[in-house]
Amino acid sequence: MRATLALKQIPYRATHISLLNDDTESPEYLAKNPIGTVPTLKVNDSDYLIESLAILRYLDVLKPTPGFWTGHHSDRSATPVDEAKVGALCEIINSGTHPIQNLPVLHYLSKEPFEQKKWAHHWIQNGLAQFEKLLSFYGAATHFCYGNTLTAADICLVPQVYNALRYDVDITTFPLIHRIHRHLLSLDCFLVSHPDLFKPKD
Ligand SMILES: N[C@@H](CCC(=O)N[C@@H](CS)C(=O)NCC(=O)O)C(=O)O
């Protein structure tokens, strides 16, 4: 979400919310987001948005340029098929990978960090393998997941790779993901939104 705000040059103020300290369980937080997840985006005095893809869609309607649902194609116009393909890449991360390695699932699975890590590693590996296959199937080029410009698929990929590295998934075994991810990390919108920049100072 922060990368999208940066990409679309929408100013915002970030508040640090720690899942590990149960900040999302406080009455103040739950009043804004009753399911206690992050991210939450305050958009006016009474509305708070949740769910990353819903927020991405909102931000795209709010500020359509640059758009990120179809990718730009140098040899042709973008079509609804492009949008569905970008959507499929997003879903592999957002529905097929991230939720299975999310903290509540790991806590339900086991109290043992080793078991949690083994599970998360397996499902992230599985999700990225699917993503890699689809990148290849859709003919991903060098720099982006789809087409010649940044799309929502890139925006979904970067935080999932961040998590993959936390669980020691070797992303060099996915050549397309590895190459694209390296390029994405050099872009301003990802540089200024990197999670390490939003950690509280000691
Ligand atoms: N599908 C939601 C997932 C939100 C979500 O589950 N976020 C994680 C952190 S990345 C979280 O809040 N986990 C803690 C919890 O669910 O209690 C989205 O895309 O925003």
Side-chain angles (χ1 to χ4, degrees):
M1 179 184 86
R2 284 193 301 259
T4 308
L5 290 163
L7 177 73
K8 289 181 176 285
Q9 299 188 348
I10 300 173
Y12 66 98
R13 189 169 59 81
T15 307
H16 179 72
I17 301 293
S18 166
L19 292 172
L20 298 176
N21 292 343
D22 288 338
D23 291 351
T24 51
E25 298 305 313
S26 73
E28 294 77 22
Y29 193 81
L30 291 172
K32 299 166 190 158
N33 174 347
I35 62 170
T37 53
V38 292
T40 300
L41 180 68
K42 179 178 182 180
V43 292
N44 58 42
D45 285 344
S46 52
D47 290 304
Y48 295 86
L49 304 183
I50 65 170
E51 289 291 332
S52 305
L53 282 186
I55 293 173
L56 258 54
R57 290 193 186 283
Y58 164 81
L59 294 174
D60 200 51
V61 172
L62 191 71
K63 198 163 179 201
T65 308
F68 52 51
W69 291 108
T70 60
H72 172 76
H73 304 269
S74 39
D75 55 339
R76 62 178 177 82
S77 305
T79 68
V81 169
D82 294 311
E83 184 160 349
K85 290 182 175 177
V86 170
L89 287 163
C90 293
E91 290 299 345
I92 287 181
I93 304 286
N94 200 55
S95 319
T97 310
H98 175 269
I100 328 176
Q101 49 93 88
N102 207 1
L103 280 181
V105 173
L106 299 183
H107 290 162
Y108 184 76
L109 173 79
S110 171
K111 286 190 172 38
E112 295 298 327
F114 171 76
E115 291 298 333
Q116 294 178 351
K117 186 172 175 180
K118 200 168 101 185
W119 172 282
H121 183 282
H122 171 80
W123 289 111
I124 295 172
Q125 177 92 21
N126 181 72
L128 291 183
Q130 292 182 347
F131 198 88
E132 178 83 7
K133 276 186 196 162
L134 211 51
L135 286 178
S136 166
F137 192 61
Y138 290 164
T142 316
H143 292 319
F144 299 103
C145 290
Y146 195 77
N148 313 119
T149 47
L150 189 131
T151 65
D154 301 298
I155 290 171
C156 290
L157 178 64
V158 168
Q160 187 60 68
V161 169
Y162 183 81
N163 247 12
L165 298 175
R166 285 178 56 216
Y167 289 107
D168 292 336
V169 174
D170 179 6
I171 67 152
T172 63
T173 60
F174 305 115
L176 293 172
I177 291 175
H178 182 49
R179 193 175 67 204
I180 291 167
H181 179 253
R182 213 172 35 201
H183 171 252
L184 294 175
L185 286 193
S186 71
L187 302 181
D188 275 354
C189 66
F190 291 110
L191 284 173
V192 300
S193 61
H194 194 280
D196 292 349
L197 297 176
F198 290 83
K199 285 182 179 159
K201 310 255 180 306
D202 294 330

